Each structure stands twice: as structure tokens, then as C-alpha cells.
Amino acid sequence: PAAPCRGARGGAARRAMETETSDSDGWHDEVDIDGDGEYSDTEIAEADTDRDPDEDDSASGEEGSADAPRAGGSGSAPAGAHAVSRSPGATAAQRRSHAALYASRARHYSTRRSRGSYADDSDGDCDADGDTTAAQAARGKDIQGIPWHRLNFSRAKYRETRLRQYKNYENLASTSQQLDALVPPPARRDGEFYQFARNTRHVKSTIVHFQLRNLVWATGPHDVYTLHRCTVRHYDCLARRSSVALDLSGDSNGVGRVQVSTLCVKEGILAAGGFGGEIVCRSVGSRCVAHRARVSRNENAITNALEVYTSPGAASPRILACNNDRALRQFDVETFRLVAQRDFDWAVNHATVSPDGRLACVVGDDPEALLLDTRTNETVATLRGHLDYGFATAWHPDGWVFATGNQDTTCRIWDRRYMSSALAIFRGRIGAARSLRFSPNGDFLAMAEPADFVHVVDARGPGAFSRCQEIDLFGEVAGVAFAAGEGTRGAHRVGAVGSAVRDSLFVGVADRTYGSLLEFQRARLDTLSSKALLAL
């Protein structure tokens, strides 16, 4: 298989790039519910009434099929209308019939769009815009709006099948037996730290490369940034309005087209990285692009990750760029001058900088993670224990604890004062740890798998990182982001008990039918166990 982010030699990266404009239906790895080796229309259940024909398919890449189940079967329009119309075995009559059905569906969506509503007309429990609210979820509606009552299998049955059939993408041969020997017993998954608040269907996410999942950012409880096709969009949670924050789809603003592979929105700066090694940045409050540059002419220079941080003694913020040409670069945001560069023997996939701006945790196409001094680019420590390539890092607000995420399905927690071994190890359900974020007050760590699961790990108290909340959904996860509520308090240290203000957690879901932005809010009544409280 192609190594991660190898855009120069066909393989996964090229297929991922082509997905955005391809008319392929994408059902390359369907789920066989019955286990009979065949995929019926009911089992595949391609979208009929819920899919907007104008929406593109998101790239699911090499990791198992993560599309949500589609409504179909008896009593509904024929499943997979547009797919059958392209099938080589379809007769001319079938093609005409399905083409007519698809055209009718397009007119149906056009009418609904002109009315300002995308609600499913046949579902009386839908919000006016097709969203799902907390009240509806409390009455039993699926948080993603998947109509399980119209399918011939239950949610539990579909989840059971997904767990059995999903295949994690690996570059190195790390077996489950090896992990079982290295990883301690699973964390308790009974936490209820964040409550479902709303699912917004019109906020879509697009994944360009299946291994890069840092495509959701929040700058406040009401301001979320996502990637849809070649545009970065800002979503106002109060007004429930989405607008274009950065258009990279053409020649607007003189920028030209950039196929965005990663995002970063921090320190008042919006930065986007491209498949051709581009970096585009501007101030969050500005409408004009401040800088656009291609940092490398290497044909394999995909920008895998960006980090905006404040460097000690620097007059303006800096951008740390992780590129597939094996280089880690630092740029001054104001002048976009290259401040420093370090070359490695492997592609650099992700890096984040400590809150004090002095250390950077770097991971890439190597099982080992590195801790670097940002002023000298010298290696401070080498972190060993992972079994595959790394794609995620995150720093706790206290500046001592940090996390690394790996394709071996684990997240390791490290303390920079004791780096001989990991402080804790957390293992996901089905896939790699693709994205990591600490909450602003440091109480929680969110770990996103490539599909279906987001884990909110408790970082408080004596038993930190031993308990989590598991968010169970269907679809590819484009990214996760925390947002602090108004008046957030917190001691910014592992073991501190944060306040009960309503912080938020956002999860971007990339799916052809049920793509959306999931919003969760901090539970009002969330306490530690009596044993932990006594210990505190």
C-alpha cells in the first residue's frame, strides 16, 4: 500500500485527490449485514429521499467504508438510483428509469432549497431545516437523523457488523496480539461528560486525504470553522448561519484554486494548507488573504498539518508547517519569512507547540515521536512505544503533559518531566487516533478515530486518563474541536476539577447523506466518583 500522504506516485493520495471531482459512487467496501457475501439493495441502502444530489462524495480513502447506512428497501424509492444508472450491467430501460428518478429527486431538492428548508417531508419529527435537536434526541430520534425505523436492520445490528468488518489502515505490521500485550486494560467507557445539543445537517465537511483529519476548529462557543470542498466556512451557532471564511476554489481574491488538506485557526489567524505544499493565511477578522505561498517545489510536498503559536520574544505569531517533503518549517505570520527549517528522514505528519512556545511535539512516518526545542530545532527527547506512524499530537494547557496519536489505534499520554515511558495509554475501538484535542481548561482530551467513534477522555483527578465517554456515530470523522464557555474557570493542571460552565465539543462528520456538524455541551451535573472526591 502507498505510504501516508504519498501524492507523487498514484496510490492513496492521488485517489483521495481525485475523489472530490470523481463521479464514483464510493461503495467499494459495503457492509454485508446478513453475512451471506452478497450486498442487496436493502443492505447497501443507498440514499434516496435524504441526499441532496448536488452534494459531492467525501473521500473515505483506504480505511474501511465509513458511510452511514442509507434509507431504502421496501416501501421507498429504489435504492442506489444514480449508482445503478452508471452500472455496466444495467439495461437501457433501467438507466432511463433511474435517470428520471434522480432528475425528479434533484427537482425535489431544488424546490425545498427555494423554500429554505431541507427537512425530510415524510418525517414529522424533523426540525424545519432537517437538524436534530436535543429535545428530539430525548424523544428517541437518532442524533444524526438516520431513519432506523425505515431500515430492515437495527442500529445495534449495523454497529455490530461495522465493528466486525472494519479494517484499520496500517503502514507497519502491528498485530492486535502485540497491542494486547503492550496496552493495559481498556479505559472505562461509561463517562457522561458532554451531552448532545444539536446536529446541523447543512454544515458539511470534506475530507481530501483519508489520513489527515484536522479540519474542524472552534474559536469560541459560537464560532466553528470547517472545510467544505475548497472553501473554509464559518458557522455561527447562535444564528445557525454558515458563511464563506476563505474561498480557495478559484481566482477569487487572486488566490487561485487550492485543494485544502489541513486547517488551523488559532491566535486570531486562519491558515490553510494545500496538497501542492501551499499555505494560505489571513487574520480571522479580515476578508483579504494576507499571504499565499508554495513552501516547496517538491511534487510530494503535501501540507499535512499547520500550527499557529506564539514564540517567546517574537513580535508576531508563527506558523509551524509539517510537510510531506520531510521538512518542518517555521514562518513569521506578519512577513511570511522562513524563520527556521529542519529536515527529517521521514515525512512530517503533525506537530503542536507547548503553551509556552518553547517545545514542539513532532510525529511522522516513523513509530518514534520527537520533542524539539523550537528555538534551536534540536531534539530534546525521543519518545518510544508506538508501533506505527503518528498523525496526531496535542498539548495540555499546563504545558507539562502532551499526547500522541498513532495508526496503531492508541493514544499515549506523556509527561515532559518523566519521558522514559508513557504516563497512560488509551486504545480506540476500530481505527487510528487521527485527531487529538485537549479542552481549553485541560479537563478532557478528545481522540477521534477515522470513523464512527470519538472518545472524550477524563484528564482530571488521581485516576486521570482511565475513564472516557464514547461518542458513537456513523460516518467519517473530519475533526473535533473544543470551545470554552463564557467565564470558564480551570487550574490548567492534570487533576484539577473544572467548572460546570457549558463548554462545547464539535464533531465534523463527512458522509454523502448524513454529513453534518454535531454539537455537544458540557453536562451540568458531572462529578467525579466518591473515591476520587475523597482523594482530592
Side-chain angles (χ1 to χ4, degrees), residues 217 262-264 266-267 269 271-273 278-279 281 295 303-311 316-323 327-333 336-342 344 348-354 357-363 370-375 377 393 395:
W217 291 81
T262 190
L263 294 178
C264 184
K266 290 175 64 178
E267 307 290 342
I269 301 297
E278 305 96 338
I279 298 178
C281 67
V295 301
T303 305
N304 294 327
L306 296 171
E307 168 79 338
V308 180
Y309 70 100
T310 302
S311 178
S316 60
R318 289 184 176 177
I319 292 179
L320 190 66
C322 307
N323 286 85
L328 183 70
R329 300 175 175 88
Q330 297 180 40
F331 295 91
D332 181 272
V333 168
F336 215 70
R337 177 179 60 89
L338 179 63
V339 177
Q341 176 175 331
R342 175 167 171 178
F344 297 85
V348 184
N349 293 330
H350 198 266
T352 49
V353 178
S354 60
R358 299 181 182 277
L359 294 174
C361 180
V362 183
V363 296
L370 299 178
L371 208 59
L372 305 183
D373 187 319
T374 57
R375 295 161 295 181
N377 268 340
T393 62
W395 281 86

Side-chain angles (χ1 to χ4, degrees), residues 78-94:
H82 68 295
V84 174
S85 68
R86 292 196 299 266
S87 173
T91 65
Q94 286 176 323

Side-chain angles (χ1 to χ4, degrees), residues 186-207:
R188 291 168 51 198
R189 304 180 190 271
D190 58 351
E192 296 181 0
F193 313 126
Y194 284 79
Q195 298 172 333
F196 172 75
R198 190 177 187 89
N199 182 48
T200 306
R201 291 280 293 273
H202 72 269
V203 179
K204 306 290 187 180
S205 290
T206 301
I207 298 170

Side-chain angles (χ1 to χ4, degrees), residues 169-398:
Y169 182 88
E170 298 175 344
N171 285 96
L172 304 179
S174 58
T175 65
S176 58
Q177 288 79 9
Q178 285 179 287
L179 283 175
D180 292 339
L182 293 172
V183 179
R188 291 168 51 198
R189 304 180 190 271
D190 58 351
E192 296 181 0
F193 313 126
Y194 284 79
Q195 298 172 333
F196 172 75
R198 190 177 187 89
N199 182 48
T200 306
R201 291 280 293 273
H202 72 269
V203 179
K204 306 290 187 180
S205 290
T206 301
I207 298 170
V208 178
H209 193 286
F210 72 98
Q211 290 169 307
L212 307 179
R213 304 301 181 90
N214 292 290
L215 302 173
V216 177
W217 291 81
T219 57
H222 312 305
D223 299 285
V224 186
Y225 292 83
T226 62
L227 172 69
H228 181 56
R229 297 176 181 171
C230 290
T231 61
V232 180
R233 303 190 67 88
H234 168 253
Y235 177 61
D236 185 330
C237 299
L238 284 180
R240 296 180 192 168
R241 182 174 60 249
S242 179
S243 59
V244 176
L246 184 60
D247 187 355
L248 300 176
S249 61
D251 294 326
S252 61
N253 295 324
V255 174
R257 188 177 192 275
V258 177
Q259 192 163 27
V260 181
S261 54
T262 190
L263 294 178
C264 184
V265 188
K266 290 175 64 178
E267 307 290 342
I269 301 297
L270 166 59
F275 243 90
E278 305 96 338
I279 298 178
V280 181
C281 67
R282 70 165 178 80
S283 171
V284 168
S286 171
R287 303 303 299 177
C288 299
V289 171
H291 301 287
R292 179 192 188 279
R294 184 172 181 179
V295 301
S296 173
R297 292 298 173 183
N298 188 311
E299 61 181 359
N300 196 26
I302 303 171
T303 305
N304 294 327
L306 296 171
E307 168 79 338
V308 180
Y309 70 100
T310 302
S311 178
S316 60
R318 289 184 176 177
I319 292 179
L320 190 66
C322 307
N323 286 85
N324 218 59
D325 62 353
R326 305 181 177 184
L328 183 70
R329 300 175 175 88
Q330 297 180 40
F331 295 91
D332 181 272
V333 168
E334 186 174 341
T335 63
F336 215 70
R337 177 179 60 89
L338 179 63
V339 177
Q341 176 175 331
R342 175 167 171 178
D343 297 320
F344 297 85
D345 295 330
W346 31 263
V348 184
N349 293 330
H350 198 266
T352 49
V353 178
S354 60
D356 62 9
R358 299 181 182 277
L359 294 174
C361 180
V362 183
V363 296
D365 285 7
D366 192 273
E368 296 179 349
L370 299 178
L371 208 59
L372 305 183
D373 187 319
T374 57
R375 295 161 295 181
T376 64
N377 268 340
E378 296 297 323
T379 299
V380 174
T382 300
L383 310 171
R384 298 179 174 89
H386 283 299
L387 303 178
D388 209 298
Y389 295 169
F391 278 87
T393 62
W395 281 86
H396 189 279
D398 69 1

